[in-house]
Amino acid sequence: MPILVTGGAGYIGSHTCVELLNAGYEIIVVDNFSNSKPEALKRVGELTGKRFISYRADLLDREELEFIFTRHRIEAVIHFAGFKAVGESVRMPLEYYMNNVAGTIALCQAMAKFGIKKLVFSSSATVYGVPEKVPISEDFPLSAMNPYGRSKLMIEDILRDLAVSDTEWSIGILRYFNPIGAHKSGRIGEDPNGVPNNLMPYITQVAAGKLNRLSVFGDDYDTPDGTGVRDYIHVVDLAKGHLKALEKIFSSTGVEAYNLGTGRGYSVLEMIAAFIEASGMELPYTIVGRRPGDVGACFADPTKAGNELGWTADKGIAEMCEDAWRWQANNPNGYEEESIRMEQVRS
Ligand code: UD1
């Protein structure tokens, strides 16, 4: 019986689809392609040599969603679909709550209607707000600093309420730290719209000459070199964590949250050095002021995922940088390249 993957064309979604297919799962993808491209799914098919069905559909389209549940005997859902840009969420809070929170409610309602009560949800380390200390474990207090973070926290609360209301639900909440890197093939990777907000896609675009220089946001944090420290995790390790979470929800009920991180923090300056080493490229940068809303250090205690899911991240920072660079170098315009080439062929 297939696994429904919402947002399967996105960065983490597409890498998880590859791992699911390679592990022999049947998948059905639902994506509205608001922030992703069908080309990503085409490449997932090429990489795995497997065929799968995908729907261009919005979770808020109840009729379409129920049609999909009627058509396929879905066994469990991995729910990636959601908006994820912090700055944008501050400017467009209603869109974020509608898409992320209402979209998840609509999905859970459809699942309940069809008696499917197994869910893996994409949450974020952002739900820890400003952590009192590091490493961060799952029992730390939760808070949010912006509408994006609040939407993740609201969904977590809703899922916890749902599991209390009906004990047949089995829900795994995965709190991602900082996913970077790409599939080894260089065929799928992160394809941000416009100027990237996150560090690694910004770095790769500077190295590629698409952006002039990197701004390092602050060097006066209480960290070894003063720059922000984060727990970067290879997206393929993260994808594999979803398969472990899936196994877990098949064998238990209730709701549990797991940190998916490496447990090791790297500063912005360490990331710059690692990237230069891995790519052999130059990376001009300037130290500027802090970015509002940033915390100094954020890294995971991943013990719970190790003990309860049997999952640990095993790819190191050099591999993350090499893979991120291969994706950028091979796809200077992300997934656009293919459609631009097609246009050129036609004209
Ligand atoms: C950001 C979001 C977070 C979200 C996560 C994943 C903010 C405040 N936080 O986390 O809610 O869950 O992305 O999408 O946006 N940096 C620079 N220069 C840059 C970009 C980043 O120095 O051009 C620094 C940051 O200050 C930080 C580190 O690099 O210390 C990582 O930044 P980023 O990749 O944006 O991730 P987070 O801030 O951890």
Side-chain angles (χ1 to χ4, degrees):
M1 284 201 287
I3 308 297
L4 183 75
V5 183
T6 76
Y11 174 43
I12 305 168
S14 57
H15 287 82
T16 304
C17 286
V18 167
E19 297 305 319
L20 287 166
L21 290 166
N22 283 342
Y25 285 98
E26 194 186 329
I27 62 169
I28 308 289
V29 172
V30 183
D31 204 301
N32 65 6
F33 301 110
S34 64
N35 193 23
S36 63
K37 308 264 168 24
E39 175 67 20
L41 293 178
K42 196 176 133 222
R43 295 188 186 186
V44 167
E46 285 166 10
L47 283 175
T48 57
K50 304 258 171 76
R51 297 175 69 86
F52 57 93
I53 297 173
S54 62
Y55 291 88
R56 179 187 288 267
D58 198 292
L59 299 181
L60 291 165
D61 182 344
R62 186 178 297 259
E63 225 173 278
E64 180 72 9
L65 199 55
E66 293 193 2
F67 169 78
I68 296 167
F69 280 110
T70 312
R71 191 92 188 271
H72 308 278
R73 285 166 50 82
I74 308 284
E75 196 171 7
V77 178
I78 306 184
H79 176 35
F80 293 104
F83 292 154
K84 59 171 185 182
V86 172
E88 186 182 66
S89 80
V90 175
R91 292 191 302 277
M92 303 163 52
L94 298 180
E95 284 82 352
Y96 269 68
Y97 292 125
M98 190 70 184
N99 190 57
N100 293 6
V101 182
T104 304
I105 293 173
L107 174 67
C108 290
Q109 283 177 329
M111 289 174 67
K113 185 166 172 180
F114 288 83
I116 302 149
K117 298 182 181 176
K118 293 180 171 44
L119 176 70
V120 175
F121 171 63
S122 296
S123 188
S124 164
T126 194
V127 299
Y128 295 114
V130 181
E132 276 165 23
K133 56 184 181 24
V134 281
I136 300 168
S137 55
E138 289 82 354
D139 53 5
F140 273 34
L142 305 179
S143 68
M145 304 196 297
N146 49 63
Y148 160 71
R150 227 164 340 267
S151 76
K152 291 291 180 192
L153 194 44
M154 282 179 189
I155 296 168
E156 283 204 8
D157 284 334
I158 289 168
L159 296 178
R160 281 184 278 269
D161 288 342
L162 184 58
V164 169
S165 75
D166 177 349
T167 53
E168 284 178 7
W169 278 89
S170 177
I171 302 172
I173 292 173
L174 302 182
R175 295 181 182 148
Y176 309 152
F177 281 70
N178 291 60
I180 61 168
H183 190 265
K184 273 271 164 290
S185 62
R187 293 294 289 160
I188 57 171
E190 186 171 14
D191 184 18
N193 269 338
V195 178
N197 297 307
N198 296 121
L199 181 64
M200 185 47 88
Y202 206 103
I203 285 181
T204 59
Q205 292 197 14
V206 171
K210 291 184 76 177
L211 296 168
N212 284 341
R213 58 174 48 234
L214 173 71
S215 296
V216 175
F217 298 143
D219 66 350
D220 56 353
Y221 286 106
D222 183 17
T223 60
D225 65 20
T227 65
V229 167
R230 295 290 184 277
D231 188 336
Y232 298 94
I233 171 170
H234 196 293
V235 65
V236 172
D237 275 335
L238 191 70
K240 289 178 177 163
H242 292 76
L243 274 69
K244 293 292 190 184
L246 207 51
E247 286 169 23
K248 177 76 182 176
I249 61 165
F250 282 137
S251 61
S252 60
T253 54
V255 56
E256 284 295 337
Y258 301 97
N259 286 342
L260 295 189
T262 65
R264 161 84 154 88
Y266 285 88
S267 74
V268 179
L269 294 181
E270 285 177 312
M271 290 304 288
I272 293 172
F275 181 82
I276 292 172
E277 173 79 23
S279 66
M281 302 300 288
E282 284 178 24
L283 196 71
Y285 68 87
T286 313
I287 310 273
V288 301
R290 292 183 179 194
R291 178 171 66 179
D294 267 357
V295 299
C298 173
F299 56 93
D301 174 351
T303 309
K304 185 177 174 189
N307 289 344
E308 296 183 20
L309 301 181
W311 174 89
T312 48
D314 56 35
K315 294 178 187 296
I317 209 71
E319 192 173 351
M320 299 183 211
C321 291
E322 280 161 21
D323 293 346
W325 177 237
R326 184 180 307 104
W327 157 253
Q328 173 69 55
N330 290 354
N331 307 270
N333 299 309
Y335 292 113
E336 285 295 349
E337 201 192 16
E338 214 83 346
S339 40
I340 292 169
R341 217 186 289 137
M342 291 307 288
E343 290 292 320
Q344 284 166 346
V345 170
R346 271 190 226 112
S347 58

